[in-house]
Amino acid sequence: MSETNIRKEKQNEVKGFLKNVEKIGNALPHPVIIFIILSIAIVVVSAIVAATGVSVTYFDAKAGEEVTKKAVSLLNAEGLRYIFNSATTNFTGFAPLGTVLVVMLGVGVAEWSGLINTSLKRLLTDVNPRLLTAVVVFTGIISNIASDAGYVVVIPLGAIIFAGAGRHPIAGLAAAFAGVSAGFSANLIIGTTDPLLAGITNEALRSVGIDYQITSTANWYFMMVSTILLTFLGTFVTEKIVEKNLGTYTGDYIPDKAEVTPLEKKALKNAGISLLIFVILAAFLMFPKNAVFKELDENTGKMTLDIFMNNGLLPLILLLFIIPGIVFGKTTGKIKDSKDIVTAMTSGMESMGGYLVLAFFASQFVNYFSYTNLGAIISYKGADLLKSIGFTGLPLIIAFIIISAFLNLFMGSASAKWAIMAPIFIPMMMKLGLSPELTQVAYRIGDSTTNIITPLMSYFPMIVVFAKRYDEESGLGTLISTMIPYSMTFLLGWTILMIIWYILGLPLGPGAYIHI
């Protein structure tokens, strides 16, 4: 058999596998029903596991104390009270809910006024089509500097950009999703994840009396190179696998391909000026030594943006869209008074009805998983199993990446998993001569790459809703089968980069080395 025929046969096998995954997934009930079924399953499983007395005891680096967690049953009087008493707060406290709705208020104004569509039309005339995929993936990766905003901004824009270029919009959505979520830890600059994980690592070191501290820049060099690598890998998977598997788009969505008018160009210029002024003002409030948005960190005695980045950034992003959106609409005449602004915000909320229904039931499932301690038990037991295997050196690092990726399918919070795993693996690997910086970067690789294939990921229901906008028949199966190539490629490519880094003995960040 010729090499060409072998290659075609392998491609057909890949397509066949992904098609089977899609068929199986889409044969499942509506995502809302799936979350109801999963919630019921958690109730039953929690009762069984609790009856056996399963528990885990570990030092929680985040809490700074030893914690024992027993499996908690939902199938008793206390559990049933929790189910009913917490239903409303589970929903209203569901983290992605507020993030999505706040940002969509601003996006609604920018979209209704015509700013987004016009900006995209202008962008498509300026960007080399060959670089379009790379731009979408790269933008997704670096968006994590704005916390979770990339989920509600970059991902839907990726679909719109691809549709405007005559390409399959779900491929654009997938490329952006891969960048935002599977590449979550990577970036060219230090983001909110870096100090968060470094703080937990340092607590883990302190808990066992190790006089060693790492900084927020401990993984910076590696993550900068990772950004470039993942951009390349995401572009390759999108163009060589995902788009070929999706085929020609036959949906009803029709992008606006009209030329940008002189008035729209003027409106874009005015919106750009207003955006620049806003960014300068925001920078003044954020970055000077004693900036308004900075608060004193009692542990370090320094003024930081940590609290603002986790809480105040979303309203800032809201204004980031609203201000230029209003200026654009005022210039074109689309926005005449305050009533139009409210109408624009309302339009942004109208498309979120399906997500609100999904969010209610998804929030119950996620909270049941946390309340019953099943997530912590699965994570700890899995980590303990890896510890008992006794790997050393590079094989241990590779195994640790794989187990982190696997545990991420069950427990989405990066900080929660790391608070459990760091006190176990940081000291163990240090005894084997491996630095805490290396252990942390290995964890980040595994923790990121499987985000896009687990329905437990908080934003997963929202991405399904976005996909349905372009294909009503799409569901969990469609999204998971579309994202599997990204997840596997990122995991393999990122691990290979880690292996090369390890062999060459390169620093992971300023003053952060592989070995102790």
Side-chain angles (χ1 to χ4, degrees), residues 56-231:
V56 292
T57 301
Y58 59 90
F59 184 88
D60 188 328
K62 200 173 185 180
E65 60 185 11
E66 192 171 81
V67 174
T68 297
K69 289 195 174 184
K70 299 179 180 180
V72 178
S73 174
L74 284 168
L75 204 57
N76 54 28
E78 186 177 352
L80 291 174
R81 286 195 297 269
Y82 173 81
I83 290 174
F84 284 90
N85 292 339
S86 68
T88 301
T89 54
N90 288 346
F91 176 53
T92 57
F94 194 45
L97 184 65
T99 302
V100 171
L101 297 183
V102 169
V103 174
M104 284 304 295
L105 284 173
V107 172
V109 174
E111 187 172 18
W112 190 85
S113 68
L115 172 60
I116 289 180
N117 283 337
T118 304
S119 299
L120 291 174
K121 284 189 292 185
R122 192 63 185 266
L123 174 66
L124 291 172
T125 59
D126 296 335
V127 174
N128 187 328
R130 294 181 178 180
L131 299 177
L132 186 59
T133 306
V135 169
V136 170
V137 176
F138 176 77
T139 303
I141 294 172
I142 64 172
S143 71
N144 69 62
I145 189 63
S147 191
D148 293 344
Y151 285 99
V152 291
V153 177
V154 178
I155 293 174
L157 289 185
I160 294 172
I161 289 174
F162 265 52
R167 298 168 65 179
H168 204 300
I170 292 183
L173 180 145
F177 187 25
V180 171
S181 199
F184 185 76
S185 266
N187 212 312
L188 296 179
I189 55 180
I190 301 301
T192 55
T193 304
D194 296 277
L196 174 64
L197 297 183
I200 294 174
T201 299
N202 287 332
E203 281 297 321
L205 290 165
R206 184 189 63 79
S207 70
V208 292
I210 297 176
D211 186 18
Y212 190 103
Q213 297 283 290
I214 74 169
T215 66
S216 297
T217 60
N219 303 148
W220 189 16
Y221 297 161
F222 184 83
M223 289 305 168
M224 281 196 291
V225 176
S226 297
T227 302
I228 307 302
L229 172 67
L230 297 182
T231 299

Side-chain angles (χ1 to χ4, degrees), residues 27-44:
L28 297 172
H30 190 281
V32 168
I33 305 302
I34 290 176
F35 279 114
I36 292 174
I37 294 172
L38 289 173
S39 297
I40 294 173
I42 289 296
V43 172
V44 175

